Amino acid sequence: MRRSRPLAIVRAMLALAGAIACAACSSGSPAVVSVQKKVQGLLGQPNVTSFLDVRFGDSLYRVQNRFPNGSLETAPYGADTYRLENIEVDGVRYQRVKYEFTSYSGMQLVMAWFTPDSSEQVLEKLIAAIGAPTEQDSAKGSAPADTRAMWRLPHGERVVFDGPKRFVAVLGPGGGPLRQDEAENEALDSP
């Protein structure tokens, strides 16, 4: 247990050094890109910590306070679910967003159905935030609306993007009990 703390401190120091180096250089210089790649290589791939300002691990109470117009439901396997309808954030329009909660780990699954005109933005935001997909099912040059992609991240998160169904899901690191709900919702048509 003690060995992981020094590693965390080293990672934080490397991230700070990388940020300082990036601030000292112009944003387009090759040195900046090189430093950024080295820092990311040392720190590992990014992980997903939140969706629409709801953090993985947040309580149902916090989500209700953040979005008071939502409705409380129970998922098919008994998990508490909070559903939002027709919201727009950063130019992306979502027809429906569902947050699912585990008893002990808080919010651990988010599923969102976006409008057809938001496909490109959703995929671009995912790639910008977490990098290239681990798996992708589409021909090179295919439109985002025709793309299916999945990411497996180092902290146990699983991200699914399904352009044809206009669906995105993020299963958090403590979301194991919710995998079946995610799989069933992924199979549904868009609302």
Side-chain angles (χ1 to χ4, degrees):
M1 189 83 152
R2 288 185 171 268
R3 299 186 84 184
S4 64
R5 186 159 188 200
L7 183 58
I9 292 170
V10 169
R11 284 183 176 182
M13 289 171 55
L14 286 170
L16 181 59
I20 291 169
C22 290
C25 302
S26 68
S27 62
S29 77
V32 171
V33 174
S34 175
V35 168
Q36 288 172 339
K37 285 184 179 180
K38 285 181 182 179
V39 168
Q40 182 174 351
L42 293 169
L43 299 178
Q45 281 191 345
N47 63 324
V48 179
T49 58
S50 65
F51 190 89
L52 301 180
D53 196 34
V54 174
R55 296 183 63 82
F56 287 89
D58 278 352
S59 68
L60 176 58
Y61 177 76
R62 184 193 181 290
V63 178
Q64 287 174 312
N65 283 334
R66 169 76 172 95
F67 297 105
N69 294 331
S71 58
L72 186 60
E73 299 176 346
T74 302
Y77 293 94
D80 287 333
T81 302
Y82 197 67
R83 185 179 70 180
L84 306 172
E85 299 284 342
N86 300 315
I87 63 171
E88 184 173 341
V89 177
D90 295 332
V92 177
R93 293 183 299 159
Y94 297 96
Q95 294 174 298
R96 178 173 295 148
V97 177
K98 288 183 178 182
Y99 294 101
E100 285 196 18
F101 303 81
T102 63
S103 300
Y104 302 105
S105 300
M107 194 281 286
Q108 289 296 321
L109 173 62
V110 60
M111 298 168 290
W113 291 263
F114 46 88
T115 59
D117 59 323
S118 295
S119 295
E120 185 174 352
Q121 289 175 296
V122 172
L123 185 57
E124 285 175 0
K125 286 178 184 285
L126 286 170
I127 291 171
I130 55 178
T134 308
E135 298 174 24
Q136 187 167 341
D137 179 21
S138 64
K140 187 173 184 172
S142 292
D146 300 324
T147 299
R148 289 185 179 91
M150 184 178 66
W151 294 257
R152 292 186 190 277
L153 301 176
H155 299 283
E157 302 95 333
R158 179 177 180 264
V159 180
V160 173
F161 173 87
D162 190 328
K165 291 188 178 183
R166 301 185 317 267
F167 176 78
V168 63
V170 183
L171 185 68
L178 304 175
R179 284 186 194 274
Q180 189 65 36
D181 282 343
E182 187 269 331
E184 286 187 16
N185 278 281
E186 186 177 339
L188 297 175
D189 290 327
S190 189

